[in-house]
Amino acid sequence: MPNRRARLRAETSAEIKAIALKLMATGGPDAISLRAIAREMGMTANAIYGYYATRDDLVTTLINDVYSDLVERLEAARDALPPDDAAGRILAWAENFRTWSLANPEGFRLIYGDPVPGYQPPEEGVEAELRACAALVGLVAAAWPRAVERQSHGDHEWTDFDPHVVDTVRADHPDLPPAAVVLSLRVWGRMHGLVALEVYGHLRTQTREPGKVYSAEMADLISSLGF
Amino acid sequence: MPNRRARLRAETSAEIKAIALKLMATGGPDAISLRAIAREMGMTANAIYGYYATRDDLVTTLINDVYSDLVERLEAARDALPPDDAAGRILAWAENFRTWSLANPEGFRLIYGDPVPGYQPPEEGVEAELRACAALVGLVAAAWPRAVERQSHGDHEWTDFDPHVVDTVRADHPDLPPAAVVLSLRVWGRMHGLVALEVYGHLRTQTREPGKVYSAEMADLISSLGF
DNA sequence: ATCCAAACTATACGCCGTGCAGTAAAAATA
DNA sequence: TATTTTTACTGCACGGCGTATAGTTTGGAT
């Protein structure tokens, strides 16, 4: 009856992740140590090696979990608005991205920063990130009919992108030109920039109202898309 | 003759920094360890405590050094163009920011990321960062006559900013409205976003031409300033 | 020549990831 | 049911880390 075994295994694995996330929430990504997790579980650090081959493996799993949490929230915020409200959906995505990041700064650092000393991200990207990018392309695609007139049509080619990305995009949006994918990456970068600076405390010494700066930036983004 | 003492002291201090930077260049910010530095110098780790009270103090010094290096390069790139070429100066700043960041990814992570496990940045900002921001305000100020028409004049007040920033700005640009300072922060964020994503490898799984994406974004930035 | 302070070493404590050997219990097999 | 295999886990060890405390050497001043 391997079911019982498998169940216990899954439970232990989940407990490891849960404790790791709890440690991260209080002490930042650096607090994720196999020894601390084991201590909290009443186990030896080596026991964790039965579930994750290395600490980096555990961190990679955590990144995927946290990233998925973020993406689900953003998708929910998007879906709370009607599909034809392209501008509103982008704004909702943007504002929720910032709100989540400030509420979970440790998660942000885990996902977008150096999660843990010496951590090497996996060669293939994080799955949740691909999901987020695909969603972002969807948002831009909905706005593309208007944005197309405002954006420069530089020399962007499909060969500029990862083949996997190209397949995904063309499956969902057959008529979308490569310039739209470039635009969605730019939108991503635009949201990321100010939020990253804020999370890492670089705006703190400049402005007392980082939220107003971000809102202004996003308003400008929306208007640059033709809304 | 305390001069000799002081000279030796300064030399040792400089050697510590130099070795720390060398270690960082090869192994990333995580490789900056007192023990490794001491090993390289043929000393004990504790000897370093005579020069820097804690490891974080050393890291703070390194951040300032590296940041200054970056700012000097950016200012040089700016000054290579005539003052009336506001758009060109912003573009030069932007492109050199990306070039430097990609050439010194470890430096970028030191400045803008989590430099070292458990590092707490000093309460007062890093001096070089204030310099960079002041320079950015200067660039935006030069473009402001044109940009003013394109930018929304939201409800930005001088009280939204750190008093020190307000003083600096008003000293250099007496007639500049607060909206221009907000704009310069937004410009900073816009440059930071894509570069941070690229340095941390998040664009790698999406596009093969991150430089083209960045250039397109910067072209759009310039045009949004009215050029 | 003597004294002092600065520079440095030695030792130790508690953290970390992880490799290797051993053990107890659960499951599979006979 | 008795035996064997697999799984989960412990114990110990190694080398890494920051850093606190105490002791030692040494250059400069008196």
Side-chain angles (χ1 to χ4, degrees):
Chain A
M1 203 173 287
N3 284 347
R4 180 177 136 79
R5 276 283 174 119
R7 187 165 44 84
L8 287 177
R9 240 195 109 71
E11 279 172 13
T12 307
S13 186
E15 191 186 354
I16 291 172
K17 285 201 293 186
I19 292 182
L21 289 173
K22 198 188 75 182
L23 289 170
M24 188 191 71
T26 61
D30 303 328
I32 303 173
S33 81
L34 300 187
R35 293 185 118 108
I37 295 168
R39 216 179 297 128
E40 204 92 1
M41 296 178 66
M43 286 197 337
T44 309
N46 277 342
I48 299 177
Y49 282 84
Y51 299 88
Y52 300 92
T54 99
R55 186 204 48 167
D56 279 17
D57 276 20
L58 171 59
V59 170
T60 299
T61 305
L62 293 176
I63 288 177
N64 230 320
D65 282 18
V66 173
Y67 216 144
S68 296
D69 178 63
L70 165 62
V71 173
E72 273 153 30
R73 162 154 178 186
L74 297 184
E75 287 177 345
R78 174 198 62 189
D79 296 338
L81 289 158
D84 62 317
D85 185 7
R89 284 185 150 203
I90 293 174
L91 269 179
W93 185 280
E95 290 297 336
N96 277 272
F97 175 64
R98 175 167 176 270
T99 309
W100 183 94
S101 299
L102 294 179
N104 308 288
E106 314 303 0
F108 186 92
R109 297 154 80 107
L110 181 74
I111 294 175
Y112 294 113
D114 311 276
V116 122
Y119 175 76
Q120 294 283 16
E123 188 57 38
E124 77 281 3
V126 180
E127 190 243 335
E129 180 153 291
L130 299 177
R131 241 178 88 194
C133 288
L136 217 41
V137 170
L139 288 174
V140 169
W144 185 248
R146 327 173 67 108
V148 64
E149 297 165 21
R150 305 272 193 135
Q151 297 299 323
S152 68
H153 295 74
D155 53 345
H156 302 299
E157 311 285 345
W158 283 115
T159 50
D160 289 352
F161 304 99
D162 184 278
H164 183 265
V165 171
V166 176
D167 291 348
T168 308
V169 171
R170 306 215 75 165
D172 293 349
H173 317 280
D175 298 329
L176 210 61
V181 182
V182 169
L183 178 57
S184 66
L185 288 176
R186 285 168 45 200
V187 169
W188 185 21
R190 217 156 152 179
M191 293 177 183
H192 184 80
L194 281 174
V195 171
L197 287 174
E198 187 175 1
V199 167
Y200 280 96
H202 296 284
L203 290 188
R204 189 186 35 119
T205 52
Q206 307 288 331
T207 177
R208 290 171 172 158
E209 297 284 352
K212 281 167 76 173
V213 178
Y214 186 71
S215 294
E217 175 71 355
M218 288 305 115
D220 192 71
L221 165 65
I222 292 296
S223 93
S224 83
L225 292 177
F227 292 97
Chain B
M1 204 174 290
N3 283 348
R4 183 177 138 79
R5 273 279 174 104
R7 186 166 43 84
L8 286 177
R9 237 193 112 71
E11 279 172 14
T12 308
S13 186
E15 190 186 355
I16 291 172
K17 286 201 293 187
I19 293 182
L21 290 173
K22 198 188 75 184
L23 288 171
M24 188 191 73
T26 59
D30 303 329
I32 304 173
S33 82
L34 300 186
R35 294 184 118 109
I37 295 168
R39 215 178 297 127
E40 205 91 359
M41 295 178 68
M43 286 198 335
T44 309
N46 277 342
I48 299 178
Y49 282 85
Y51 299 89
Y52 300 93
T54 87
R55 187 205 46 168
D56 278 17
D57 276 20
L58 171 59
V59 170
T60 299
T61 305
L62 292 177
I63 288 177
N64 231 321
D65 281 17
V66 173
Y67 216 144
S68 297
D69 178 63
L70 165 62
V71 174
E72 274 155 29
R73 162 152 175 186
L74 297 184
E75 287 177 344
R78 174 198 64 189
D79 296 338
L81 289 160
D84 63 317
D85 185 6
R89 283 185 151 205
I90 293 175
L91 270 179
W93 186 280
E95 290 296 335
N96 277 271
F97 175 63
R98 176 168 175 270
T99 309
W100 183 93
S101 300
L102 294 179
N104 308 287
E106 314 301 0
F108 186 92
R109 297 154 80 109
L110 181 75
I111 294 175
Y112 293 113
D114 310 276
V116 124
Y119 174 75
Q120 296 282 17
E123 189 57 38
E124 78 281 0
V126 180
E127 189 244 334
E129 180 155 289
L130 299 177
R131 239 178 89 194
C133 287
L136 216 41
V137 170
L139 288 175
V140 169
W144 185 249
R146 328 174 66 109
V148 65
E149 299 166 22
R150 306 273 194 134
Q151 297 298 323
S152 68
H153 295 75
D155 52 344
H156 303 298
E157 311 284 346
W158 283 115
T159 52
D160 290 352
F161 303 99
D162 183 278
H164 184 263
V165 172
V166 176
D167 291 347
T168 309
V169 171
R170 307 214 74 166
D172 292 350
H173 317 279
D175 298 329
L176 209 60
V181 182
V182 169
L183 178 58
S184 67
L185 289 176
R186 287 168 45 200
V187 169
W188 185 20
R190 215 156 155 181
M191 293 177 183
H192 183 79
L194 281 173
V195 171
L197 287 175
E198 186 174 2
V199 167
Y200 281 97
H202 296 284
L203 290 188
R204 190 189 33 125
T205 52
Q206 306 288 333
T207 178
R208 289 170 172 158
E209 296 286 351
K212 281 168 77 174
V213 177
Y214 186 72
S215 293
E217 175 70 355
M218 288 306 114
D220 191 70
L221 165 65
I222 292 296
S223 92
S224 83
L225 292 178
F227 292 97

